[in-house]
Amino acid sequence: MAGLTKVSAAAPPVLDIDPFATRYLENPYHFHEVLRGAGPIVHIPKYDMYAVGRYAEVQSAFADWKNFSSAAGTGLGHVQKGSALRTPGPIVEADPPEHTKLRSTLNRILSPAVIRGWRDDFEAEAERRVAAIVQRGEFDAVTDLVEPFILRVLPDAMGLDDEGRENLLPIGDLTGNALGPRNDLFIESERRVEPLLPWFNSKFERAAMLPGGFGEKIWQASDTGDIETEKVMPLIRTFLRGGIDTGVSGISSMIWLLACNPEQWSALKAEPKLVRQAFDEALRLETPAQSLFRTTRGSFAFAGCQLDDDVKVMCCLAAANRDPAQWADADNYNVKRSTIGHIAFGTGIHVCIGQMVARLEGEAILAALLRHTEILEMNGPARHKLSNTARRLAALPIRVGRKAN
Ligand code: HEM
């Protein structure tokens, strides 16, 4: 495993910055460079945490769940003690053996065959929405296209009824902020979500799930004892918290990158089979979940540095996905690049269980855009939402249409 050694070593170098300072959240690329440049692993005193941003070490940490545990939470807060004390998420914040059994049950419920069965519905929905919106010539790709599309297809597949689906957007926003420190961003998004909690907590009861969705199948797995009953609702919530905002982020970023890089749009028009690569390349460059955390278990040497026990480790997937040691022209969007090995979906035992779903969504929207418009260009400045750990556009003014002869 890259980076992990048994010899005793020196403490990691100190990086005396605040990764959650507004200037770094506004310009994450600068933060990535600082982090990668400071060493294979660093100590950040402000949060008494370690941080990794180079590709090899992020990969190693995610591959090594014994030393880099998820059970103390995948955010900065240590969920087993202090003010962040809470029940850990049933899958994403579980280590083996607990994780293994649940993951295999969920892999069965969300098997590739099940997801392939959703393709026609996702494509029909993308076709309908894109066909309607290109008639307008100008629109906001985030609020007029991507958000309504994702809020339709994923909750439908789960079996959620229509009422209040838009609440999933501020809840997704809170998810990204709550992984960071308890700063103004976190507190403000928590305040917005507070009144929505009764809705969120009631929607996933057994009686509320529509028949045929994978929410119902998760409930059924509790009848056979494959999933403990008390884990069902938190699990269903995890799917929506983890699947909505990330999907909106990835697809919006892809449209943004294509609109800003006309030669890449032209390359896709010439070779539409590159849609999957175009989506994955956008995830690499604009990684939706920029950072996730692990917690050291025991004191051990890693990348030539001696680590202390029970310390949070910020694993910056976004910095790894732009590491020039791993990617040629790392900061350029290139739809012809082989994106194999990007870690926007994580890696190791917790690798995203919804990645096929996300790709289905991204490909459906992009294929429909390719069919319906010759031009895809910016129609004003894009705006990002500030978030402690998510990279997410809030506004993306786009112009579409036919080329003038
Ligand atoms: C572009 C969209 C998406 C991105 C970038 C993304 C990213 C990720 C990442 C980085 C992880 C690893 C977490 C960790 O190691 O701590 C993960 C896990 C997970 N994702 Fe996704 N995700 C996306 C879409 C989805 C969708 C659509 C769903 C639901 C259908 C979903 C459900 C989950 C679940 C349940 C896990 C936990 C898996 C486990 O712990 O074994 N994600 N995702």
Side-chain angles (χ1 to χ4, degrees), residues 15 43 73 92 115 196 224 320 375 404:
L15 180 60
H43 180 248
V92 75
I115 296 168
L196 311 177
T224 52
I375 295 170

Side-chain angles (χ1 to χ4, degrees), residues 10-299:
V14 170
L15 180 60
D16 199 7
I17 61 162
D18 179 357
F20 305 101
T22 305
R23 71 190 180 104
Y24 288 127
L25 298 182
E26 279 174 349
N27 181 359
Y29 318 121
H30 178 45
F31 168 62
H32 302 160
E33 258 182 66
V34 170
L35 177 60
R36 285 189 307 256
I41 184 159
V42 297
H43 180 248
I44 298 187
K46 183 166 169 81
Y47 301 103
D48 189 18
M49 68 177 186
Y50 299 125
V52 282
R54 295 183 187 171
Y55 184 86
E57 280 74 27
V58 176
Q59 271 274 4
S60 296
F62 268 59
D64 180 10
W65 59 266
K66 283 190 180 143
N67 281 309
F68 294 93
S69 164
S70 294
T74 52
L76 175 62
H78 193 306
V79 306
Q80 293 162 338
K81 62 185 187 193
S83 59
L85 189 69
R86 63 169 169 81
T87 311
I91 177 133
V92 75
E93 294 176 336
D95 290 337
E98 201 189 340
H99 175 267
T100 320
K101 180 166 178 270
L102 189 51
R103 176 80 191 213
S104 74
T105 302
L106 291 174
N107 282 344
R108 185 167 40 75
I109 292 172
L110 269 188
S111 70
V114 168
I115 296 168
R116 274 196 296 274
W118 301 346
R119 182 175 281 277
D120 288 351
D121 287 347
F122 281 37
E123 286 178 350
E125 184 62 22
E127 170 64 25
R128 193 177 69 73
R129 286 192 183 269
V130 169
I133 210 149
V134 295
Q135 302 295 325
R136 284 164 46 179
E138 297 178 353
F139 57 92
D140 187 298
V142 177
T143 53
D144 298 336
L145 177 61
V146 183
E147 287 179 351
F149 170 72
I150 298 278
L151 286 178
R152 170 56 51 205
V153 293
L154 189 60
D156 271 6
M158 171 168 276
L160 194 71
D161 70 23
D162 277 350
E163 188 257 329
R165 285 184 181 195
E166 64 285 356
N167 294 339
L168 294 168
L169 296 173
I171 288 168
D173 188 46
L174 173 60
T175 303
N177 281 316
L179 292 174
R182 211 176 155 69
N183 55 11
D184 288 351
L185 285 170
F186 183 163
I187 291 165
E188 179 53 27
S189 52
E190 194 176 52
R191 194 191 55 73
R192 276 198 303 271
V193 163
E194 185 85 32
L196 311 177
L197 286 179
W199 174 89
F200 196 50
N201 291 330
S202 70
K203 274 295 158 181
F204 312 114
E205 281 164 12
R206 190 162 197 159
M209 304 296 336
L210 300 176
F214 73 89
E216 183 191 45
K217 299 213 168 56
I218 295 179
W219 271 110
Q220 284 164 353
S222 71
D223 297 335
T224 52
D226 287 329
I227 297 180
E228 293 155 61
T229 308
E230 63 276 15
K231 286 192 179 160
V232 172
M233 298 242 291
L235 197 52
I236 298 179
R237 283 196 286 266
T238 301
F239 273 96
L240 287 174
R241 290 182 63 159
I244 298 277
D245 225 49
T246 46
V248 173
S249 159
I251 301 176
S252 310
S253 292
M254 171 182 70
I255 298 174
W256 180 51
L257 288 164
L258 287 167
C260 294
N261 294 279
E263 77 296 346
Q264 297 301 314
W265 174 249
S266 303
L268 258 185
K269 287 293 274 183
E271 239 183 306
K273 69 171 171 29
L274 294 175
V275 284
R276 171 165 299 192
Q277 259 168 259
F279 181 55
D280 271 84
E281 171 71 343
L283 295 178
R284 181 189 71 80
L285 264 190
E286 293 294 309
T287 304
Q290 297 257 299
S291 292
L292 289 165
F293 292 75
R294 297 294 191 252
T295 308
T296 54
R297 285 287 178 251
S299 173

